[in-house]
Amino acid sequence: MLRITSHCSYLILTLILISSVVFAENPDVYTLGVVHVTATRTEKDEMQIPATVYDISSEELNNTKMVRSMPEALKEIPAVMVQKTSHGQGSPYVRGLTGFRNLFLIDGIRLNNSVFRDGPNQYWNTVDPFSLKKIEIVKGPGSVLYGSDSVGGTINVFTKSPVYINDAYSLGGRIYGRYSYGEDSYIGRGEVRGGNKKFGWIMGFSLKDFGDIKGGEDVGKQLHTGYDEWDGDLKLEYKIDDDSKLVFAHQRVNMDDAWRTHKTIYGISWEGTSVGNEQARILDQDRNLTYLQYYGKNHGNLIDNIKLSLSYHEQKESRYRLRSDDRSDIQGLDIGTIGLWGQIDTIQDYGTWTYGLEYYHDDVESSSVSYNSDGSLRSIEIQGPVADDAAYDLLDLYIQLDMPVTESFSVITGARYTYAGMNAKKIKDPVTGERTSFEDDWNSIVTSTRVLYHIDKNNNYIVFAGISQGFRAPNLSDITRLDTARSNEIETAAFGLKPEKFVSYEIGLKSRFNDFSSQLAYFYTDIEDMIVRTPTGNIIDGNLEVTKKNSGDGYINGVELNLNWEFLMDFTAYGSFAWTYGEVDTYPTSDPVTAREPIDRIMPVTYMAGVKWAPMDKFTVDIYMIRAEEQDKLSTRDTGDTQRIPPEGTPGYTVFNIRSAWNISDSLMASVSLENIFNEDYRVHGSGLNEVGRNLVVGIEYRF
């Protein structure tokens, strides 16, 4: 089923051939790379990991890329497409999947909960990128190590930690500012940290003011795309001894007045897209995470490393809607999640065992109130966007063995048992309109085996391959949602759903030298019982009713390539390529023979290429371009999403950018970027607004 066009195949083969020829003359050059944790749950050099992995440091986030939001931090990763329903609601597609089919972790704690929606959602925007030390991305199913939802990929972010000083108490920090002309935005961040050899602390505060986006040459200002946000975080660490420590952390994110503009009269018509008829649709988000974690080493013969975590995660959202006839409604969610997990590593002569337990419990409150055009109360609904007075549990047990078979060949294999259960007490019956309830549970066992082979004795080249099962249990959003979905759709409850099942096959090649590195992978994911929205034929309050069924059998496959080459002193060329395609059964189907059509919002063929000049590690200049081809492979639901996707598909685009960073002194750094130099009008496929036109971004950081 591999459908790679001839020019794409030629490009990939040519790049592989070039790398092999150029670096065959110097086979003994090898440099230590980045240590990665998420892919195997243990610290490993990325060249020892039989999977496709990427890392983004805080230096890249703040001073090189000067990212605005957490989702946008991933937009230069191959085979990741960052769809933006609005400026405050971004959702990455990883290997063709988004929403609750990708797992997001914060210091190992799930951001995902039981109300996450199908398709793009806004929750990744509630993580402050300016509080992070590092982002780790692992492509493909990670259900054995991380459980339900880890299908397209797993993203684990690590927040900043204090610095320990052995001799005396230290105090330091930083002040960071970012200004963007095209977004009319201002971001300020302040951090203070202190510590000695036993105790350390760090606290920070971010303040963000986003104005309306200025589009490209013909679009101009896009009204009601701005919003406000503030974020705060605190972390305390105490070293019990040289081998163990306690960590306490709290973080808070608050977003105000983030419009979903494309649903309103303030949306824009671009390349034939329609404009919504609502007068306002405004979202507020609030997230609080508090946790206590323990890290220890050398606890007897069977416990070489141990990690324990206890957390409470509260996520709130509120949506205000003013209809075209002046009726209004307010709906909201309040989800409190207790999380508990423990992990143990046992190192034996033949390999390393990693095993653990995880438990998460959601308590969900959901409400909806509507008002008449004169402001009088119209109704108080039984539920909000999902069932009210609901609970959801996830219990997992997992085990993994990382075993070197020979000096050149190693195997990582593991299994996980998952129990998921829900009890929803207040649901509006989609047929009678009366209150009903629903209770169900699901069990699953998934396995994974990955292998890695070092082609040469110096570990410059490795080949890896793997077969991994993925699993996603139906959540409260799947079964009990009552909410407007895409253009002119409303989703209603669907009882009796089964878990989604995935099997992913991957093969890849990695290489690394002093002046060259590359990563190439092909993946194929088999999909069974995917939960997809299906029209019922009914009309509810002017919207087409859709419900969910386990009818989405199909597949997704793709090719990803990433490379870096230091071809002259201080000059590095880099590039990436991504091709993804998939089909699933759907209704109504466009292909009577296969009963399949393209999966929703599939990422177009995308290229990136650039050259970076970095003399003496003090000053960098980076010139690069991003090219996305036209995406006209549309599902029936894509063609019905007229407010976001043009009738003939999303046009291709090429965007040129230049950015620079300068270490003025040990304590002062400045960054500047000119994005979309030629002021092109463009839109990421499936988004509800156009991207920023020509844009000047300036950042400055002072460390003390």
Side-chain angles (χ1 to χ4, degrees), residues 173-193:
R174 73 166 186 144
I175 299 172
Y176 176 81
R178 177 189 183 274
Y179 166 74
S180 170
Y181 167 79
E183 301 161 354
D184 191 21
S185 69
Y186 302 84
I187 297 175
R189 168 78 178 180
E191 288 176 4
V192 182
R193 58 173 172 79

Side-chain angles (χ1 to χ4, degrees), residues 52 79-80 93-97 139-141 152 504 506 521 523 556 560 580:
T52 306
V80 175
Y93 278 72
V94 183
R95 291 190 168 176
L97 300 171
K139 302 286 192 66
S504 186
E506 182 176 13
F523 71 92
I556 305 173
E560 306 166 11
T580 307

Side-chain angles (χ1 to χ4, degrees), residues 408-436:
S408 301
F409 181 72
S410 60
V411 177
I412 299 179
T413 186
R416 172 180 286 244
Y417 167 78
T418 298
Y419 165 85
M422 63 170 288
N423 184 5
K425 296 180 180 179
K426 296 180 181 179
I427 306 172
K428 184 176 181 178
D429 189 288
V431 177
T432 66
E434 300 298 320
R435 172 179 166 177
T436 187

Side-chain angles (χ1 to χ4, degrees), residues 572-589:
T572 301
Y574 59 91
S576 65
F577 167 82
W579 170 86
T580 307
Y581 184 75
E583 294 181 345
V584 294
D585 296 340
T586 189
Y587 177 85
T589 179

